[in-house]
Amino acid sequence: MPANDEHDIVPAHLAVKAMRDNGYKNAAYAIAELMDNAIQARASSVELLCGEKEVQLEKRSSNRIQKIAVLDNGSGMDEQVLRLALQFGNGTHLDPDDQDGIGKFGMGLPSSSMSQCKRVDVWSWQDGIQSALHTHLDLEAILNEEMASVPQPMQKPIPERWRRVGKTFGESGTLVVWSELDRVMWKTARAIIRNSERLIGRIYRRFLAEDRAHIRMHSFDLDKPEQGDGIDKFAQPNDPLYLMEDTSCPFEEPMFEEWGTHSIPISHRGEEHEVQVTFSVAKEEARSMPQAGAKDHGRHAAKNVGISVVRAERELEMDDSWVTNYDPRERWWGVEVEFPPALDDIFGVSNNKQAARNFHQLDVDSLKQDGETNQELKERLRDENDPSGPLLEVSKTIDRNLNVLRDHIKAQREGTRGAEQRHEESEAEERATEHTKQRQEEGHEGESDEEEDLSEEERKEEVKEGLEDSGLSEDTAEGLAAHVVESNLKYTFSETALPTSAPIFSVKRKGGVIIINLNTKHPGYDSLISALNEEEDESEEDLRDRLRRARVSLRLLLIAWARYEDEQQGEKRERVQDTRNDWGRIARQFMRKED
């Protein structure tokens, strides 16, 4: 085919290979790109369909993801538009006058798809599914220079398995299917849906809350799609301001209240535009209970820390440059910054709609040149066409209000020192649990994670059994198991005399919880762990604070190792366990008291 054909993929195999690394954070963000196309096409219903097959692993069989599809009932595409949609850098919303919606760059379908898989097939129809047109991209064919242009769309029936599992086949619509999934970090449909649900609910929260779109998530067996025993649920709105009703947050009502809204005018290309900044703060009843951060609603808020940046009613990202790491109270405020597509250049919207690159906390002093006043700084930034200039007022507004919000949040908890002291005992486990959830969302799976889906009673019984095996009495084990499971903790500690003094700790996995047994026979127990657990005179506040931090740090160190071990597979896990024993022997030698 001639190199200058109007449908060529430009610049063919080398460009496509480079575009695989275009910055999609994970499969959930790439899936969201396909949903953008659906909502842009006025779809009222969108489905995420995850097809699995049972495969034989080293020691067991398990379901593994094979195909991912996004189905919608949008307006569909004709032959010309369908072919354009699979070209990198082309599309129907490239004109600046046609960029009021969530689409923009003409890169979404091919770039998101090729970032996760080697082949993407697309069916689209405008007069019933019998009229569906099909075309595809095949990475291997492109890299081998066997495919230099998007194949001509042809009428082709939609495969039976997709017609069986999809519920959104309307008069018009589109089905995008990914196969040969070589870059999807999550290996199961459960993990893909779990990690996509929170993100999708937050990105499209307004569309979901206002019933402008419904997003179904379904998993199924590719060989037996009619069984219908997989996951089947609808995404709920996930509002980081916690002002909406009927969201994924488990609190009975909106758990935040609005703190204030500020409209900031920005002039750009001769026109005036508004940036709206909305603040919210947790209600007192959401924080008044002991260990509120460890409750379901507190854990939910911990996953939405940062500033939600919204463009065309769609969230681009959660910007954490304003967040104080690590202060758990940061979960109790919310900020949303919304701007129109006309300000894309000012905010620096990335082509995959995952970030506003120019939007972050701005340090005025670092921007100033020697002796420059605030007014001179503004004028210089304006003359240099620097986007920092228009965003300075937005940044200052956020800084001012966050300072007030943080003081308010701190004052909410005055006089509750006793509750905070009790909270210290689980602080390491709570923090590690939150970081583990982040690792799970990034695609790191542990063996214990599979048991998190057991019922609460089943988990309590499993954890109790593990604690009793560690030497705890039945009553003590039962009480601790109930606390761990009801608080949604991933980790807990017990103290027991292991058969030998070599390991400083051992690791068990029960009911989705990792139990870390501290070995009372190890010399390190008496010289470090036991000493750190001793209560000090309350008048020695500085010493107590230092010991508390040391105790938390030690627990986090042990938890980090336990999680590392939990994530290993097969022979590597055995090698890691051997390493743990070797480490214990060396520590025993280093910590043994002199005769």
Side-chain angles (χ1 to χ4, degrees), residues 127-164:
D127 189 20
I129 61 173
Q130 73 280 354
S131 68
L133 297 172
H134 169 268
T135 187
H136 74 284
L137 290 179
D138 187 307
L139 180 66
E140 293 297 333
I142 295 170
L143 296 181
N144 293 332
E145 301 186 60
E146 298 168 357
M147 177 182 283
S149 62
V150 178
Q152 180 74 32
M154 304 287 290
Q155 278 201 354
K156 181 179 179 180
I158 296 169
E160 179 67 21
R161 66 160 59 102
W162 300 113
R163 297 204 301 272
R164 289 184 183 180

mmCIF file of all heavy atoms in Angstrom, residues 127-164:
data_model
loop_
_atom_site.group_PDB
_atom_site.id
_atom_site.type_symbol
_atom_site.label_atom_id
_atom_site.label_comp_id
_atom_site.label_asym_id
_atom_site.label_seq_id
_atom_site.Cartn_x
_atom_site.Cartn_y
_atom_site.Cartn_z
ATOM 1 N N ASP A 127 -27.562 0.880 12.884
ATOM 2 C CA ASP A 127 -28.888 0.431 12.439
ATOM 3 C C ASP A 127 -29.093 -1.017 12.875
ATOM 4 O O ASP A 127 -29.371 -1.899 12.059
ATOM 5 C CB ASP A 127 -29.004 0.556 10.911
ATOM 6 C CG ASP A 127 -30.429 0.311 10.412
ATOM 7 O OD1 ASP A 127 -31.367 0.425 11.231
ATOM 8 O OD2 ASP A 127 -30.591 -0.028 9.232
ATOM 9 N N GLY A 128 -28.961 -1.264 14.178
ATOM 10 C CA GLY A 128 -29.087 -2.616 14.710
ATOM 11 C C GLY A 128 -27.774 -3.378 14.627
ATOM 12 O O GLY A 128 -26.937 -3.101 13.752
ATOM 13 N N ILE A 129 -27.591 -4.368 15.513
ATOM 14 C CA ILE A 129 -26.287 -5.056 15.555
ATOM 15 C C ILE A 129 -26.018 -5.881 14.304
ATOM 16 O O ILE A 129 -24.879 -6.219 14.007
ATOM 17 C CB ILE A 129 -26.160 -5.942 16.812
ATOM 18 C CG1 ILE A 129 -27.235 -7.030 16.820
ATOM 19 C CG2 ILE A 129 -26.223 -5.111 18.080
ATOM 20 C CD1 ILE A 129 -27.042 -8.040 17.949
ATOM 21 N N GLN A 130 -27.069 -6.192 13.555
ATOM 22 C CA GLN A 130 -26.849 -6.919 12.308
ATOM 23 C C GLN A 130 -26.091 -6.072 11.287
ATOM 24 O O GLN A 130 -25.525 -6.605 10.321
ATOM 25 C CB GLN A 130 -28.183 -7.413 11.711
ATOM 26 C CG GLN A 130 -29.050 -6.316 11.104
ATOM 27 C CD GLN A 130 -29.831 -5.530 12.148
ATOM 28 O OE1 GLN A 130 -29.808 -5.878 13.343
ATOM 29 N NE2 GLN A 130 -30.536 -4.494 11.735
ATOM 30 N N SER A 131 -26.052 -4.758 11.494
ATOM 31 C CA SER A 131 -25.341 -3.866 10.565
ATOM 32 C C SER A 131 -23.927 -3.549 11.040
ATOM 33 O O SER A 131 -23.262 -2.686 10.465
ATOM 34 C CB SER A 131 -26.123 -2.556 10.407
ATOM 35 O OG SER A 131 -26.110 -1.807 11.629
ATOM 36 N N ALA A 132 -23.451 -4.248 12.073
ATOM 37 C CA ALA A 132 -22.167 -3.907 12.692
ATOM 38 C C ALA A 132 -21.013 -3.991 11.704
ATOM 39 O O ALA A 132 -20.873 -4.967 10.943
ATOM 40 C CB ALA A 132 -21.906 -4.825 13.876
ATOM 41 N N LEU A 133 -20.182 -2.952 11.728
ATOM 42 C CA LEU A 133 -18.939 -2.913 10.956
ATOM 43 C C LEU A 133 -17.787 -3.277 11.886
ATOM 44 O O LEU A 133 -17.783 -2.913 13.067
ATOM 45 C CB LEU A 133 -18.711 -1.520 10.371
ATOM 46 C CG LEU A 133 -19.748 -1.017 9.374
ATOM 47 C CD1 LEU A 133 -19.488 0.451 9.051
ATOM 48 C CD2 LEU A 133 -19.716 -1.857 8.099
ATOM 49 N N HIS A 134 -16.797 -3.956 11.358
ATOM 50 C CA HIS A 134 -15.664 -4.417 12.164
ATOM 51 C C HIS A 134 -14.340 -4.009 11.523
ATOM 52 O O HIS A 134 -14.180 -4.025 10.305
ATOM 53 C CB HIS A 134 -15.688 -5.944 12.298
ATOM 54 C CG HIS A 134 -14.421 -6.507 12.875
ATOM 55 N ND1 HIS A 134 -13.359 -6.935 12.083
ATOM 56 C CD2 HIS A 134 -14.030 -6.688 14.163
ATOM 57 C CE1 HIS A 134 -12.385 -7.368 12.878
ATOM 58 N NE2 HIS A 134 -12.754 -7.236 14.131
ATOM 59 N N THR A 135 -13.389 -3.610 12.377
ATOM 60 C CA THR A 135 -12.001 -3.468 11.962
ATOM 61 C C THR A 135 -11.136 -3.699 13.190
ATOM 62 O O THR A 135 -11.661 -3.937 14.289
ATOM 63 C CB THR A 135 -11.722 -2.102 11.319
ATOM 64 O OG1 THR A 135 -10.386 -2.112 10.784
ATOM 65 C CG2 THR A 135 -11.826 -0.968 12.337
ATOM 66 N N HIS A 136 -9.815 -3.647 13.036
ATOM 67 C CA HIS A 136 -8.943 -4.008 14.148
ATOM 68 C C HIS A 136 -7.554 -3.436 13.960
ATOM 69 O O HIS A 136 -7.201 -2.941 12.883
ATOM 70 C CB HIS A 136 -8.848 -5.536 14.267
ATOM 71 C CG HIS A 136 -8.004 -6.166 13.185
ATOM 72 N ND1 HIS A 136 -8.441 -6.328 11.885
ATOM 73 C CD2 HIS A 136 -6.731 -6.657 13.209
ATOM 74 C CE1 HIS A 136 -7.504 -6.904 11.161
ATOM 75 N NE2 HIS A 136 -6.445 -7.115 11.931
ATOM 76 N N LEU A 137 -6.765 -3.491 15.040
ATOM 77 C CA LEU A 137 -5.329 -3.245 14.999
ATOM 78 C C LEU A 137 -4.635 -4.456 15.601
ATOM 79 O O LEU A 137 -5.069 -4.995 16.623
ATOM 80 C CB LEU A 137 -4.939 -1.999 15.794
ATOM 81 C CG LEU A 137 -5.348 -0.629 15.245
ATOM 82 C CD1 LEU A 137 -4.882 0.470 16.195
ATOM 83 C CD2 LEU A 137 -4.783 -0.407 13.850
ATOM 84 N N ASP A 138 -3.531 -4.868 14.979
ATOM 85 C CA ASP A 138 -2.749 -6.010 15.459
ATOM 86 C C ASP A 138 -1.306 -5.554 15.616
ATOM 87 O O ASP A 138 -0.637 -5.234 14.627
ATOM 88 C CB ASP A 138 -2.848 -7.171 14.466
ATOM 89 C CG ASP A 138 -2.199 -8.439 14.991
ATOM 90 O OD1 ASP A 138 -1.025 -8.369 15.401
ATOM 91 O OD2 ASP A 138 -2.859 -9.492 14.982
ATOM 92 N N LEU A 139 -0.833 -5.491 16.874
ATOM 93 C CA LEU A 139 0.500 -4.950 17.132
ATOM 94 C C LEU A 139 1.600 -5.733 16.425
ATOM 95 O O LEU A 139 2.518 -5.144 15.846
ATOM 96 C CB LEU A 139 0.770 -4.932 18.646
ATOM 97 C CG LEU A 139 2.140 -4.384 19.061
ATOM 98 C CD1 LEU A 139 2.264 -2.908 18.720
ATOM 99 C CD2 LEU A 139 2.369 -4.613 20.550
ATOM 100 N N GLU A 140 1.520 -7.061 16.461
ATOM 101 C CA GLU A 140 2.568 -7.862 15.824
ATOM 102 C C GLU A 140 2.628 -7.573 14.326
ATOM 103 O O GLU A 140 3.711 -7.464 13.747
ATOM 104 C CB GLU A 140 2.325 -9.355 16.072
ATOM 105 C CG GLU A 140 2.479 -9.791 17.517
ATOM 106 C CD GLU A 140 3.905 -9.580 18.031
ATOM 107 O OE1 GLU A 140 4.837 -9.608 17.217
ATOM 108 O OE2 GLU A 140 4.072 -9.385 19.239
ATOM 109 N N ALA A 141 1.470 -7.460 13.700
ATOM 110 C CA ALA A 141 1.443 -7.161 12.262
ATOM 111 C C ALA A 141 2.018 -5.774 11.978
ATOM 112 O O ALA A 141 2.714 -5.565 10.978
ATOM 113 C CB ALA A 141 0.015 -7.270 11.734
ATOM 114 N N ILE A 142 1.746 -4.823 12.866
ATOM 115 C CA ILE A 142 2.291 -3.467 12.692
ATOM 116 C C ILE A 142 3.798 -3.473 12.847
ATOM 117 O O ILE A 142 4.537 -2.903 12.032
ATOM 118 C CB ILE A 142 1.647 -2.499 13.695
ATOM 119 C CG1 ILE A 142 0.148 -2.346 13.407
ATOM 120 C CG2 ILE A 142 2.317 -1.126 13.632
ATOM 121 C CD1 ILE A 142 -0.614 -1.596 14.483
ATOM 122 N N LEU A 143 4.289 -4.140 13.902
ATOM 123 C CA LEU A 143 5.745 -4.170 14.149
ATOM 124 C C LEU A 143 6.482 -4.904 13.048
ATOM 125 O O LEU A 143 7.634 -4.576 12.737
ATOM 126 C CB LEU A 143 6.021 -4.824 15.509
ATOM 127 C CG LEU A 143 5.478 -4.089 16.743
ATOM 128 C CD1 LEU A 143 5.846 -4.839 18.013
ATOM 129 C CD2 LEU A 143 6.023 -2.664 16.794
ATOM 130 N N ASN A 144 5.842 -5.902 12.456
ATOM 131 C CA ASN A 144 6.451 -6.643 11.345
ATOM 132 C C ASN A 144 6.242 -5.953 10.007
ATOM 133 O O ASN A 144 6.597 -6.505 8.960
ATOM 134 C CB ASN A 144 5.873 -8.057 11.280
ATOM 135 C CG ASN A 144 6.269 -8.898 12.476
ATOM 136 O OD1 ASN A 144 7.328 -8.682 13.073
ATOM 137 N ND2 ASN A 144 5.424 -9.858 12.841
ATOM 138 N N GLU A 145 5.643 -4.732 10.078
ATOM 139 C CA GLU A 145 5.371 -3.924 8.877
ATOM 140 C C GLU A 145 4.462 -4.646 7.886
ATOM 141 O O GLU A 145 4.537 -4.441 6.675
ATOM 142 C CB GLU A 145 6.678 -3.487 8.213
ATOM 143 C CG GLU A 145 7.568 -2.670 9.146
ATOM 144 C CD GLU A 145 8.796 -2.113 8.459
ATOM 145 O OE1 GLU A 145 8.623 -1.340 7.500
ATOM 146 O OE2 GLU A 145 9.906 -2.469 8.881
ATOM 147 N N GLU A 146 3.572 -5.500 8.442
ATOM 148 C CA GLU A 146 2.575 -6.174 7.617
ATOM 149 C C GLU A 146 1.255 -5.400 7.601
ATOM 150 O O GLU A 146 0.391 -5.671 6.782
ATOM 151 C CB GLU A 146 2.326 -7.591 8.155
ATOM 152 C CG GLU A 146 3.564 -8.475 8.104
ATOM 153 C CD GLU A 146 3.377 -9.761 8.897
ATOM 154 O OE1 GLU A 146 2.289 -9.904 9.513
ATOM 155 O OE2 GLU A 146 4.298 -10.602 8.915
ATOM 156 N N MET A 147 1.108 -4.468 8.560
ATOM 157 C CA MET A 147 -0.090 -3.640 8.633
ATOM 158 C C MET A 147 0.354 -2.190 8.674
ATOM 159 O O MET A 147 0.915 -1.728 9.666
ATOM 160 C CB MET A 147 -0.919 -3.978 9.884
ATOM 161 C CG MET A 147 -2.155 -3.088 10.049
ATOM 162 S SD MET A 147 -3.105 -3.455 11.568
ATOM 163 C CE MET A 147 -3.957 -4.940 11.056
ATOM 164 N N ALA A 148 0.146 -1.471 7.589
ATOM 165 C CA ALA A 148 0.554 -0.070 7.511
ATOM 166 C C ALA A 148 -0.626 0.883 7.572
ATOM 167 O O ALA A 148 -0.434 2.092 7.663
ATOM 168 C CB ALA A 148 1.354 0.174 6.222
ATOM 169 N N SER A 149 -1.838 0.346 7.512
ATOM 170 C CA SER A 149 -3.017 1.196 7.576
ATOM 171 C C SER A 149 -4.130 0.453 8.298
ATOM 172 O O SER A 149 -4.090 -0.772 8.442
ATOM 173 C CB SER A 149 -3.489 1.609 6.174
ATOM 174 O OG SER A 149 -3.858 0.461 5.436
ATOM 175 N N VAL A 150 -5.101 1.211 8.751
ATOM 176 C CA VAL A 150 -6.247 0.601 9.425
ATOM 177 C C VAL A 150 -7.061 -0.171 8.399
ATOM 178 O O VAL A 150 -7.436 0.382 7.362
ATOM 179 C CB VAL A 150 -7.123 1.681 10.096
ATOM 180 C CG1 VAL A 150 -8.346 1.051 10.744
ATOM 181 C CG2 VAL A 150 -6.316 2.479 11.105
ATOM 182 N N PRO A 151 -7.339 -1.460 8.647
ATOM 183 C CA PRO A 151 -8.119 -2.232 7.672
ATOM 184 C C PRO A 151 -9.478 -1.609 7.394
ATOM 185 O O PRO A 151 -10.118 -1.040 8.281
ATOM 186 C CB PRO A 151 -8.261 -3.599 8.362
ATOM 187 C CG PRO A 151 -7.110 -3.681 9.303
ATOM 188 C CD PRO A 151 -6.893 -2.270 9.787
ATOM 189 N N GLN A 152 -9.885 -1.725 6.150
ATOM 190 C CA GLN A 152 -11.194 -1.215 5.740
ATOM 191 C C GLN A 152 -12.295 -1.876 6.578
ATOM 192 O O GLN A 152 -12.376 -3.100 6.666
ATOM 193 C CB GLN A 152 -11.438 -1.538 4.265
ATOM 194 C CG GLN A 152 -12.771 -1.057 3.722
ATOM 195 C CD GLN A 152 -12.793 0.452 3.526
ATOM 196 O OE1 GLN A 152 -11.761 1.048 3.228
ATOM 197 N NE2 GLN A 152 -13.948 1.059 3.690
ATOM 198 N N PRO A 153 -13.139 -1.103 7.273
ATOM 199 C CA PRO A 153 -14.237 -1.710 8.039
ATOM 200 C C PRO A 153 -15.165 -2.499 7.132
ATOM 201 O O PRO A 153 -15.529 -2.052 6.048
ATOM 202 C CB PRO A 153 -14.940 -0.503 8.658
ATOM 203 C CG PRO A 153 -13.892 0.570 8.711
ATOM 204 C CD PRO A 153 -13.060 0.366 7.477
ATOM 205 N N MET A 154 -15.527 -3.685 7.604
ATOM 206 C CA MET A 154 -16.409 -4.568 6.843
ATOM 207 C C MET A 154 -17.511 -5.075 7.777
ATOM 208 O O MET A 154 -17.329 -5.181 8.988
ATOM 209 C CB MET A 154 -15.626 -5.778 6.297
ATOM 210 C CG MET A 154 -14.423 -5.391 5.443
ATOM 211 S SD MET A 154 -14.883 -4.766 3.819
ATOM 212 C CE MET A 154 -15.489 -6.259 3.062
ATOM 213 N N GLN A 155 -18.656 -5.410 7.195
ATOM 214 C CA GLN A 155 -19.711 -6.011 8.009
ATOM 215 C C GLN A 155 -19.252 -7.378 8.499
ATOM 216 O O GLN A 155 -18.757 -8.206 7.733
ATOM 217 C CB GLN A 155 -21.002 -6.152 7.202
ATOM 218 C CG GLN A 155 -21.814 -4.881 7.158
ATOM 219 C CD GLN A 155 -23.275 -5.133 6.829
ATOM 220 O OE1 GLN A 155 -23.676 -6.254 6.524
ATOM 221 N NE2 GLN A 155 -24.080 -4.092 6.896
ATOM 222 N N LYS A 156 -19.379 -7.599 9.828
ATOM 223 C CA LYS A 156 -18.953 -8.859 10.428
ATOM 224 C C LYS A 156 -19.778 -9.084 11.686
ATOM 225 O O LYS A 156 -19.887 -8.183 12.520
ATOM 226 C CB LYS A 156 -17.461 -8.815 10.765
ATOM 227 C CG LYS A 156 -16.917 -10.091 11.366
ATOM 228 C CD LYS A 156 -15.429 -9.973 11.648
ATOM 229 C CE LYS A 156 -14.879 -11.251 12.269
ATOM 230 N NZ LYS A 156 -13.415 -11.138 12.546
ATOM 231 N N PRO A 157 -20.358 -10.269 11.856
ATOM 232 C CA PRO A 157 -21.207 -10.505 13.037
ATOM 233 C C PRO A 157 -20.410 -10.366 14.340
ATOM 234 O O PRO A 157 -19.233 -10.737 14.410
ATOM 235 C CB PRO A 157 -21.693 -11.950 12.844
ATOM 236 C CG PRO A 157 -21.528 -12.222 11.387
ATOM 237 C CD PRO A 157 -20.340 -11.428 10.933
ATOM 238 N N ILE A 158 -21.060 -9.847 15.337
ATOM 239 C CA ILE A 158 -20.452 -9.771 16.666
ATOM 240 C C ILE A 158 -20.411 -11.180 17.238
ATOM 241 O O ILE A 158 -21.406 -11.901 17.202
ATOM 242 C CB ILE A 158 -21.260 -8.839 17.576
ATOM 243 C CG1 ILE A 158 -21.225 -7.409 17.024
ATOM 244 C CG2 ILE A 158 -20.728 -8.865 19.010
ATOM 245 C CD1 ILE A 158 -22.199 -6.474 17.703
ATOM 246 N N PRO A 159 -19.256 -11.636 17.771
ATOM 247 C CA PRO A 159 -19.158 -12.997 18.297
ATOM 248 C C PRO A 159 -20.254 -13.296 19.319
ATOM 249 O O PRO A 159 -20.649 -12.450 20.117
ATOM 250 C CB PRO A 159 -17.765 -13.025 18.945
ATOM 251 C CG PRO A 159 -16.979 -12.021 18.162
ATOM 252 C CD PRO A 159 -17.961 -10.934 17.825
ATOM 253 N N GLU A 160 -20.705 -14.555 19.319
ATOM 254 C CA GLU A 160 -21.822 -14.985 20.147
ATOM 255 C C GLU A 160 -21.571 -14.737 21.625
ATOM 256 O O GLU A 160 -22.483 -14.355 22.364
ATOM 257 C CB GLU A 160 -22.098 -16.478 19.897
ATOM 258 C CG GLU A 160 -23.225 -17.052 20.729
ATOM 259 C CD GLU A 160 -24.583 -16.472 20.356
ATOM 260 O OE1 GLU A 160 -24.726 -15.951 19.232
ATOM 261 O OE2 GLU A 160 -25.497 -16.543 21.208
ATOM 262 N N ARG A 161 -20.340 -14.964 22.091
ATOM 263 C CA ARG A 161 -20.081 -14.825 23.535
ATOM 264 C C ARG A 161 -20.364 -13.410 24.028
ATOM 265 O O ARG A 161 -20.856 -13.220 25.137
ATOM 266 C CB ARG A 161 -18.645 -15.220 23.863
ATOM 267 C CG ARG A 161 -17.566 -14.317 23.273
ATOM 268 C CD ARG A 161 -16.250 -14.484 24.031
ATOM 269 N NE ARG A 161 -15.740 -15.823 24.028
ATOM 270 C CZ ARG A 161 -14.738 -16.266 23.252
ATOM 271 N NH1 ARG A 161 -14.192 -15.440 22.382
ATOM 272 N NH2 ARG A 161 -14.295 -17.495 23.341
ATOM 273 N N TRP A 162 -20.060 -12.397 23.204
ATOM 274 C CA TRP A 162 -20.306 -11.015 23.634
ATOM 275 C C TRP A 162 -21.793 -10.697 23.604
ATOM 276 O O TRP A 162 -22.297 -9.937 24.437
ATOM 277 C CB TRP A 162 -19.517 -10.041 22.771
ATOM 278 C CG TRP A 162 -18.042 -10.280 22.832
ATOM 279 C CD1 TRP A 162 -17.224 -10.710 21.829
ATOM 280 C CD2 TRP A 162 -17.208 -10.122 23.982
ATOM 281 N NE1 TRP A 162 -15.938 -10.835 22.271
ATOM 282 C CE2 TRP A 162 -15.885 -10.473 23.579
ATOM 283 C CE3 TRP A 162 -17.429 -9.733 25.300
ATOM 284 C CZ2 TRP A 162 -14.808 -10.440 24.466
ATOM 285 C CZ3 TRP A 162 -16.360 -9.687 26.181
ATOM 286 C CH2 TRP A 162 -15.075 -10.045 25.767
ATOM 287 N N ARG A 163 -22.526 -11.303 22.642
ATOM 288 C CA ARG A 163 -23.976 -11.084 22.599
ATOM 289 C C ARG A 163 -24.660 -11.729 23.808
ATOM 290 O O ARG A 163 -25.690 -11.256 24.270
ATOM 291 C CB ARG A 163 -24.566 -11.621 21.289
ATOM 292 C CG ARG A 163 -24.044 -10.915 20.037
ATOM 293 C CD ARG A 163 -25.011 -11.043 18.878
ATOM 294 N NE ARG A 163 -25.273 -12.426 18.517
ATOM 295 C CZ ARG A 163 -24.541 -13.137 17.657
ATOM 296 N NH1 ARG A 163 -23.482 -12.575 17.080
ATOM 297 N NH2 ARG A 163 -24.847 -14.371 17.374
ATOM 298 N N ARG A 164 -24.052 -12.786 24.332
ATOM 299 C CA ARG A 164 -24.638 -13.463 25.491
ATOM 300 C C ARG A 164 -24.428 -12.673 26.783
ATOM 301 O O ARG A 164 -25.327 -12.616 27.623
ATOM 302 C CB ARG A 164 -24.023 -14.866 25.651
ATOM 303 C CG ARG A 164 -24.439 -15.869 24.608
ATOM 304 C CD ARG A 164 -23.848 -17.228 24.932
ATOM 305 N NE ARG A 164 -24.158 -18.221 23.910
ATOM 306 C CZ ARG A 164 -23.757 -19.491 23.967
ATOM 307 N NH1 ARG A 164 -23.039 -19.911 25.006
ATOM 308 N NH2 ARG A 164 -24.067 -20.335 23.011
#
